[in-house]
Amino acid sequence: MKRQWWHDKTAYQIYPKSFCDSNADGIGDLQGVISKLDDLQALGIEILWLSPVYLSPMADQGYDIADYYSIDPRFGTMEDMERLLAEARKRGIAVLMDLVVNHCSDEHEWFRRACEDPDGPYGQYFYIRDWHEGEKLPTNWCSYFGGPCWDKLPGHEDKVYLHLFHKKQPDLNWENPALRQEIYRMINWWLDKGLAGFRIDAIINIKKALPLCDYPPDRPDGLCYVSTMLRHAHGVLDFLDEMARNTFQKHDAFTIAELFDDRPEDLPRFIGEDGCFSTIFDFSENALDSSPNGWYDRKPITAEQYKQAVFAAQARAADVGFMANIIENHDEPRGVSRYLPRGERSEAAKKMLGGLNFMLRGLPFLYQGQELGMENVPFADISQIDDISTLDEYQGALRAGLSPEDAFAAVIPFSRDNARTPYQWNASANAGFTTGKPWLMVNPNYPRINLAEQRGRTDSVYHFYRELIALRRSPAYRETVVWGSLEPYLAHQRNLMAYWRKGEKTLLVAGNFQAGPQVMPLPHAPRQILLNNLPDIDLRADGVHLAGYQFLVMEM
Ligand code: TEU
Ligand code: CA
């Protein structure tokens, strides 16, 4: 496999609205990010992805873009963005923005013009269809945020437009070459500015199965999940290859795609040597608890399921390319709250979960606060929730017959707002995020879980992540940690997740994914213990006696 400049890096996602507020309006901003670059550098971060900061009415927190060429005033100015790029570069940090081009905002000029003149050129930028009151809609697809994918075109009684996401996120018509050229021009404009690349949003959705048609209903409301349509859509790679040729390849840009519902056999075309992206996120463990009924019907994920999903994904990518490994992001609950059972979310367990993920083959991608072991939020009432997806899932649970209390209790553990609360900098008011009123409540555990406290304590979760990153960068182990192969070890031993990393050196990574102890047999005694999340290690003739949630990286 050809080596790339980004392979040995550690990446970090910032959710700008909740990272650091520089001007007391309760909303995180670019100046806030700039003021924390030293902290990111001290952690060892070399790639930074910013969730959207473009001009947006914020129906979906910036994933509804009204102008791709300007920064939303809530976040700052274009000068701030340029300064951020320059300051990051000084610290050896490559910056990625979010590329959201399946849809734009209904407040984007393209959509406004399409509404003014649906038969004119901008009408062709979207999927607009004739429709008359009382008729069935053009298709029976269910939007990702609930309800039909079609809404009335503003100003027209007899036309509807397609939105796979929220109604304020009209889908762009990629079949139209003029639209594609506009998008390539925009991408190149940003890359010319010195952006290192993009995280690419919801990209599989750009190709619709044509002609648009109904599919058998698979939901209680008689609609059909978009995933069925996507299975019938062919040709997304033609669009993506064309986009890559016209933009990313010319700039040697780094791209990481958010890809769901892709066909496994297409993996080489996505992330292989000549693939259209540098890498994609591995969502296989996030998908484990999904249910066709919705969030309220999700079941807890067991350690065994987690391990098997991760190993399967590692095997798929092994000869193809690098996947990016995550335990959480801005769309998911906190990893420690999801994959560790209630009552067992100790710092040791958090380090184990983080360590097992970090040491996989691929690009480690942290989400803000993960390095502190930030947890889900004890929301008490639905009125505290901002996220449109959670509100929709809550309604779905009510429709399924759950009482309001049960619906709330079932849905909240999966709320996207769990990961969107302000970053916990210190124990002062609002966790040091803002001196104003934060836009979303701060997790009340901030006096206990915050960066200042963890920085001052060498056995903290934060310091453990620093050690993981330092190991990845170290001259002695980099070769093995980054490019070494991965082979599962004792994959059938229950609640043990262990794997070899083999390269110049031979490392054995092991996590005891349970509260009780267990013995892991070893082929021979380790040469050296490189990382241990507990103060001691119990090595005996029959192997290593792991304490509950113990995590080790051993050189063998
Ligand atoms: O998410 C794409 C996606 O597939 C979502 O349906 C995801 O599964 C959902 O958020 C779960 O509730 C991306 C962004 O990451 C997300 O924040 C946006 O809301 C979405 O695209 C639309 O742009
Ligand atoms: Ca602000």
Side-chain angles (χ1 to χ4, degrees):
M1 204 177 100
K2 204 168 137 222
R3 297 194 170 187
Q4 307 289 348
W5 66 266
W6 53 270
H7 279 168
D8 61 350
K9 310 292 185 225
T10 299
Y12 191 94
Q13 178 188 357
I14 285 189
Y15 196 67
K17 199 170 180 186
S18 300
F19 192 59
C20 177
D21 175 20
S22 72
N23 61 350
D25 64 355
I27 297 176
D29 46 55
L30 293 175
Q31 288 289 351
V33 175
I34 294 169
S35 72
K36 301 296 186 185
L37 286 173
D38 287 337
D39 292 298
L40 295 168
Q41 188 185 22
L43 181 60
I45 301 305
E46 295 179 273
I47 297 176
L48 197 59
W49 153 34
L50 299 182
S51 275
V53 291
Y54 310 91
L55 187 73
S56 167
M58 300 276 164
D60 185 23
Q61 297 303 357
Y63 284 91
D64 46 323
I65 299 174
D67 182 1
Y68 292 96
Y69 293 92
S70 56
I71 302 293
D72 194 280
R74 294 176 187 85
F75 295 123
T77 63
M78 191 58 77
E79 289 66 47
D80 294 334
M81 189 65 213
E82 284 160 1
R83 224 190 106 217
L84 170 56
L85 293 178
E87 292 295 326
R89 193 175 308 120
K90 276 190 214 159
R91 292 166 178 82
I93 299 175
V95 177
L96 316 176
M97 287 178 81
D98 218 304
L99 185 64
V100 189
V101 287
N102 172 66
H103 44 268
C104 60
S105 162
D106 65 341
E107 298 183 28
H108 193 288
E109 191 192 338
W110 297 337
F111 193 70
R112 285 214 306 267
R113 293 216 193 170
C115 294
E116 278 160 23
D117 180 11
D119 300 321
Y122 289 97
Q124 299 300 313
Y125 275 43
F126 299 92
Y127 289 93
I128 296 173
R129 294 290 184 272
D130 292 331
W131 173 82
H132 300 282
E133 198 72 54
E135 268 177 29
K136 81 173 252 330
L137 291 164
T139 68
N140 65 341
W141 310 344
C142 175
S143 95
Y144 287 107
F145 294 142
C149 276
W150 298 90
D151 254 271
K152 261 191 205 164
L153 190 70
H156 301 266
E157 282 307 304
D158 57 351
K159 289 193 189 304
V160 288
Y161 68 95
L162 177 72
H163 60 88
L164 297 188
F165 290 88
H166 193 258
K167 65 171 193 260
K168 284 183 70 65
Q169 295 169 303
D171 276 58
L172 291 166
N173 176 12
W174 276 69
E175 306 295 332
N176 177 358
L179 175 271
R180 300 205 299 273
Q181 289 307 320
E182 278 289 351
I183 288 177
Y184 305 157
R185 186 168 75 87
M186 178 273 289
I187 293 173
N188 286 322
W189 186 85
W190 278 106
L191 294 174
D192 285 338
K193 255 190 192 307
L195 200 69
F198 292 96
R199 174 268 187 184
I200 305 177
D201 188 68
I203 197 66
I204 204 84
N205 296 285
I206 63 173
K207 184 74 194 187
K208 276 68 174 171
L210 296 172
L212 307 182
C213 67
D214 282 354
Y215 296 100
D218 55 7
R219 297 172 44 93
D221 56 9
L223 298 175
C224 173
Y225 281 105
V226 175
S227 50
T228 306
M229 179 279 288
L230 293 174
R231 272 201 299 283
H232 290 83
H234 291 274
V236 71
L237 278 152
D238 298 334
F239 288 157
L240 297 176
D241 287 336
E242 183 190 90
M243 171 162 68
R245 271 198 315 278
N246 282 279
T247 60
F248 312 136
Q249 285 171 10
K250 293 201 254 179
H251 291 81
D252 200 18
F254 172 80
T255 53
I256 173 159
E258 184 203 30
L259 209 60
F260 291 103
D261 296 304
D262 46 313
R263 298 178 174 84
E265 67 270 24
D266 285 339
L267 192 64
R269 294 192 58 194
F270 286 116
I271 62 166
E273 210 122 284
D274 302 311
C276 48
F277 305 126
S278 310
T279 182
I280 59 175
F281 290 106
D282 173 23
F283 289 118
S284 43
E285 58 274 33
N286 299 63
L288 281 172
D289 54 7
S290 71
S291 156
N293 294 330
W295 293 358
Y296 73 85
D297 191 38
R298 288 182 169 185
K299 308 269 176 302
I301 296 170
T302 66
E304 280 300 296
Q305 288 174 313
Y306 181 88
K307 168 175 74 182
Q308 303 304 348
V310 171
F311 284 165
Q314 288 279 313
R316 280 197 300 277
D319 299 324
V320 181
F322 260 43
M323 299 240 258
N325 300 311
I326 60 163
I327 61 166
E328 63 198 37
N329 65 24
H330 69 295
D331 290 336
E332 306 290 338
R334 290 289 180 177
V336 296
S337 300
R338 185 180 202 173
Y339 303 121
L340 300 171
R342 187 185 300 278
E344 297 178 18
R345 294 166 194 152
S346 62
E347 286 208 324
K350 291 174 178 183
K351 292 173 190 170
M352 180 213 69
L353 185 69
L356 285 174
N357 184 261
F358 191 96
M359 291 298 294
L360 294 171
R361 187 176 164 281
L363 177 71
F365 220 116
L366 312 187
Y367 177 71
Q368 66 181 44
Q370 178 184 334
E371 76 281 18
L372 308 179
M374 276 180 66
E375 299 173 357
N376 277 359
V377 184
F379 291 111
D381 191 87
I382 196 73
S383 64
Q384 290 169 323
I385 298 294
D386 170 273
D387 170 39
I388 48 178
S389 189
T390 313
L391 298 175
D392 167 58
E393 294 284 349
Y394 177 68
Q395 291 304 324
L398 293 177
R399 276 196 302 275
L402 276 72
S403 70
E405 296 72 38
D406 291 348
F408 182 76
V411 161
I412 287 308
F414 304 101
S415 174
R416 305 198 295 180
D417 281 349
N418 283 304
R420 296 180 178 184
T421 56
Y423 189 90
Q424 294 165 206
W425 295 102
N426 54 49
S428 72
N430 300 321
F433 161 72
T434 181
T435 53
K437 184 180 180 317
W439 73 277
L440 186 66
M441 73 179 259
V442 178
N443 193 321
N445 67 15
Y446 76 87
R448 181 168 57 86
I449 300 179
N450 65 70
L451 177 64
E453 190 279 331
Q454 295 203 17
R455 205 186 254 153
R457 181 165 56 82
T458 52
D459 64 349
S460 64
V461 176
Y462 171 80
H463 276 284
F464 199 74
Y465 272 99
R466 278 193 59 172
E467 285 170 40
L468 286 164
I469 298 173
L471 181 67
R472 187 176 177 83
R473 297 171 87 178
S474 71
Y477 297 99
R478 187 180 78 125
E479 178 71 28
T480 310
V481 172
V482 177
W483 290 287
S485 66
L486 181 143
E487 290 167 30
Y489 179 60
L490 302 176
H492 296 294
Q493 186 167 325
R494 211 175 105 79
N495 292 351
L496 174 75
M497 181 163 167
Y499 51 85
W500 297 100
R501 297 299 316 276
K502 292 183 180 168
E504 270 177 16
K505 312 240 191 258
T506 300
L507 307 181
L508 184 55
V509 179
N512 178 14
F513 216 132
Q514 61 178 16
Q518 70 174 309
V519 181
M520 177 173 77
L522 290 177
H524 55 81
R527 296 164 75 106
Q528 227 192 120
I529 309 301
L530 300 179
L531 284 174
N532 182 358
N533 66 342
L534 297 177
D536 300 309
I537 178 167
D538 186 1
L539 278 166
R540 300 192 205 169
D542 60 346
V544 48
H545 287 230
L546 296 165
Y549 290 113
Q550 186 157 26
F551 170 80
L552 297 169
V553 179
M554 296 177 276
E555 183 175 351
M556 300 298 286

